Amino acid sequence: MSIDKLPPNIGVSDKVILFDGVCKLCNAWSNFIIKHDRQRVFKLCSVQSKEGKQILLHFGLPSESYETMLYVEGNQSFQKSEAFFQIMTQLGYPWKIVCIFKVIPKPLRDWMYDRIALNRYSLFGKYDYCTLPSPDHEARFLDAER
């Protein structure tokens, strides 16, 4: 999806991953990004945050219940398996090797993605609160106040 106007709190060259801050799987994904994004290409943002809700609304997505990761690059957004592959490609080797699975037709990839996303709380658990970044990772998170 492409929109001419930039989302709130996002610059032209920003690359932001929105994730469910109470989902244990999603938090593990965020920690994976922090660990393997050595070039610090990506910023992270929980969908529960003020900034996350503004970005979701900008793209016409629900801000109260959200069932997929959203990857935003400037004024473009990617969802589901396409978001995953966009991110993995930019992490470089060895991680971009998983992009070989792009040969699977997108409807099937997204169907598989949805099965995990819709059952993520029962499969992986849920926090009762949105976890906060540790002080040494705080700069990796989108924050309109900074």
Side-chain angles (χ1 to χ4, degrees):
M1 167 187 246
S2 177
I3 295 180
D4 292 334
K5 185 179 172 216
L6 288 171
N9 310 308
I10 295 183
V12 174
S13 61
D14 285 343
K15 298 176 180 195
V16 179
I17 301 168
L18 274 77
F19 67 98
D20 182 346
V22 298
C23 169
K24 289 185 177 182
L25 173 64
C26 304
N27 274 279
W29 169 246
S30 296
N31 290 328
F32 174 86
I33 296 298
I34 288 169
K35 181 177 180 181
H36 298 290
D37 178 22
R38 294 195 174 103
Q39 303 299 316
R40 295 182 173 254
V41 170
F42 302 108
K43 290 252 185 204
L44 299 163
C45 183
S46 80
V47 294
Q48 288 85 2
S49 70
K50 177 183 75 167
E51 295 84 2
K53 289 178 187 256
Q54 290 173 338
I55 294 166
L56 291 172
L57 291 173
H58 174 84
F59 287 108
L61 298 169
S63 64
E64 293 307 315
S65 63
Y66 195 66
E67 301 297 335
T68 184
M69 165 183 54
L70 183 72
Y71 170 60
V72 180
E73 195 171 304
N75 66 353
Q76 291 187 312
S77 70
F78 304 89
Q79 296 182 52
K80 301 183 182 190
S81 65
E82 195 59 37
F84 175 76
F85 288 125
Q86 287 284 334
I87 294 164
M88 296 308 280
T89 296
Q90 295 179 65
L91 284 179
Y93 288 103
W95 309 111
K96 76 188 289 182
I97 293 171
V98 300
C99 292
I100 193 166
F101 293 108
K102 274 188 102 169
V103 299
I104 298 171
K106 189 176 183 307
L108 181 56
R109 291 191 328 244
D110 285 348
W111 181 85
M112 290 185 298
Y113 184 98
D114 286 341
R115 300 295 65 77
I116 295 169
L118 294 172
N119 295 294
R120 67 189 184 276
Y121 296 143
S122 59
L123 292 171
F124 301 99
K126 179 178 178 180
Y127 295 110
D128 292 330
Y129 52 88
C130 186
T131 60
L132 297 173
S134 63
D136 58 327
H137 294 141
E138 198 170 320
R140 304 296 297 273
F141 287 78
L142 187 65
D143 183 355
E145 305 299 315
R146 274 190 258 134

